[in-house]
Amino acid sequence: MAGLNVSFGYFFAVVAFCEVIRRTSKKLLPFWFYSNVLLELLACLQQAACWFELRMLVIIGPWGGGFGMDVVMTLLFLLTSVHEATCDRAEANPLVTAQGFLRSNSLAVTSIVKILAQFAGMQLASAGVKRYWSWELTDFHLIQNMMARDCSSAIETSVSQGACVEAACAFLFHLVLMKFEGAALGYRILSKALTITALVHVAGPYTTGLFNPALAFSTTFHCSGNTLSEYMVVYWLSPFIATILAIFLFSGNIPRLFCKNLLYTQRTKYRIPKGNSAQDQDENKSVSSQGKETLGRGAQR
């Protein structure tokens, strides 16, 4: 348990470090730079730094620490909840940024800047974690350093099956994300944390359940076992296609590409009461005029 306690302290230090920088820079930096560059960089730094340590516990923990996947999944749920609560609505995922662009919620330049900041944050986290592991504070880190010299691919199945797994994860993740985007903060945190934990638990044995191109690039693209094109198909292309399909299913269109709704009929917000349509008004006028003529004839008689 000593190694696990060190990891707990590491998680707390990473979150506290990123939170201090966020709060300080929010008061000092221009809003556009803070919200589109620094916020995304820090969110990805926090996410990846915790993910690498958690991944190490997944690999080494069961036989080196005597704890199972239930402990790791609980930690993943808690870390995801904390990340969502502290990251000030940062997207921290190129696919989420692409979703906002395709739904016409952000400009192209802003989206590109965010994605570059996300990749930079993941790379900084990778370098920082390797430095942290080199201190060998626990036996876990000693073993991890020995294994890191010759890392293997995170794809534990065929490329086609891995692409389907990552696409399914991205598809479900984005549907949940869009469904709860307007909900209260507590519901957003709970829905996102539960969804990520469930998807990682199911997809972990096949592709590690990343569905984040920037995180996948830092985690496994440099490892042997698969080619660059295979990694790009599994972790970049298939999740991106799944994101487009999720937007289309949720909205019935892709606002950035076409606005016509192909799936759902657009109903008017206001109901027209019976008798107030144009045809009904014409009929009422004709009946009223006929009544007046009848009354006039009766008076003459």
Side-chain angles (χ1 to χ4, degrees):
M1 292 296 293
L4 196 57
N5 290 334
V6 172
S7 295
F8 288 156
Y10 167 78
F11 293 141
F12 178 81
V14 169
V15 174
F17 172 77
C18 293
E19 184 65 14
V20 168
I21 296 180
R22 265 191 295 267
R23 297 198 175 200
T24 304
S25 58
K26 189 174 185 178
K27 300 176 181 179
L28 301 176
L29 297 177
F31 177 76
W32 188 92
F33 184 83
Y34 167 77
S35 60
N36 296 313
V37 179
L38 189 64
L39 195 61
E40 294 295 332
L41 189 146
L42 288 175
C44 288
L45 175 64
Q46 177 178 323
Q47 181 186 42
C50 294
W51 172 262
F52 289 135
E53 182 76 1
L54 195 62
R55 180 63 181 166
M56 182 268 298
L57 295 177
V58 171
I59 298 173
I60 303 175
W63 56 271
F67 53 87
M69 288 298 295
D70 54 341
V71 175
V72 177
M73 288 297 105
T74 302
L75 282 174
L76 176 61
F77 174 79
L78 294 175
L79 289 172
T80 305
S81 301
V82 171
H83 179 270
E84 186 68 13
T86 59
C87 284
D88 199 10
R89 284 185 174 270
E91 293 164 355
N93 188 332
L95 293 178
V96 179
T97 303
Q99 180 207 118
F101 173 73
L102 292 173
R103 297 175 70 194
S104 298
N105 294 334
S106 62
L107 300 175
V109 175
T110 303
S111 300
I112 293 173
V113 169
K114 284 184 177 181
I115 291 174
L116 292 176
Q118 290 161 3
F119 274 90
M122 296 289 183
Q123 290 299 102
L124 284 175
S126 178
V129 167
K130 290 177 181 178
R131 180 67 176 174
Y132 163 69
W133 285 341
S134 67
W135 297 342
E136 298 182 355
L137 299 178
T138 67
D139 293 337
F140 292 165
H141 299 154
L142 176 62
I143 299 171
Q144 177 62 35
N145 282 334
M146 296 172 61
M147 296 173 59
R149 297 170 186 171
D150 188 22
C151 66
S152 58
S153 172
I155 304 175
E156 300 291 341
T157 183
S158 64
V159 173
S160 58
Q161 187 174 2
C164 291
V165 170
E166 285 293 307
C169 289
F171 181 78
L172 295 173
F173 172 71
H174 285 280
L175 283 180
V176 173
L177 203 65
M178 290 184 287
K179 178 65 177 177
F180 288 92
E181 64 182 351
L185 179 61
Y187 290 109
R188 289 203 315 270
I189 293 174
L190 184 61
S191 62
K192 191 172 182 179
L194 285 174
T195 302
I196 291 175
T197 304
L199 292 176
V200 171
H201 179 70
V202 174
Y206 303 99
T207 62
T208 313
L210 296 174
F211 48 95
N212 185 327
L215 182 59
F217 180 80
S218 300
T219 301
T220 191
F221 271 46
H222 62 282
C223 296
S224 60
N226 291 95
T227 63
L228 178 61
S229 59
E230 290 174 339
Y231 282 131
M232 292 176 69
V233 167
V234 173
Y235 292 110
W236 286 6
L237 181 61
S238 61
F240 180 67
I241 294 174
T243 302
I244 296 176
L245 293 177
I247 296 172
F248 181 68
L249 180 63
F250 184 81
S251 304
N253 59 0
I254 310 293
R256 183 65 65 176
L257 303 179
F258 59 91
C259 295
K260 183 179 180 180
N261 197 312
L262 302 180
L263 295 181
Y264 312 112
T265 56
Q266 296 290 333
R267 295 184 178 181
T268 180
K269 184 177 179 181
Y270 304 101
R271 296 181 60 186
I272 301 177
K274 292 182 179 180
N276 288 344
S277 63
Q279 183 178 358
D280 292 338
Q281 290 177 0
D282 292 338
E283 292 178 357
N284 292 337
K285 288 180 180 179
S286 63
V287 171
S288 177
S289 61
Q290 291 176 1
K292 289 179 179 180
E293 292 178 359
T294 303
L295 292 174
R297 292 173 184 174
Q300 291 177 359
R301 291 177 184 177

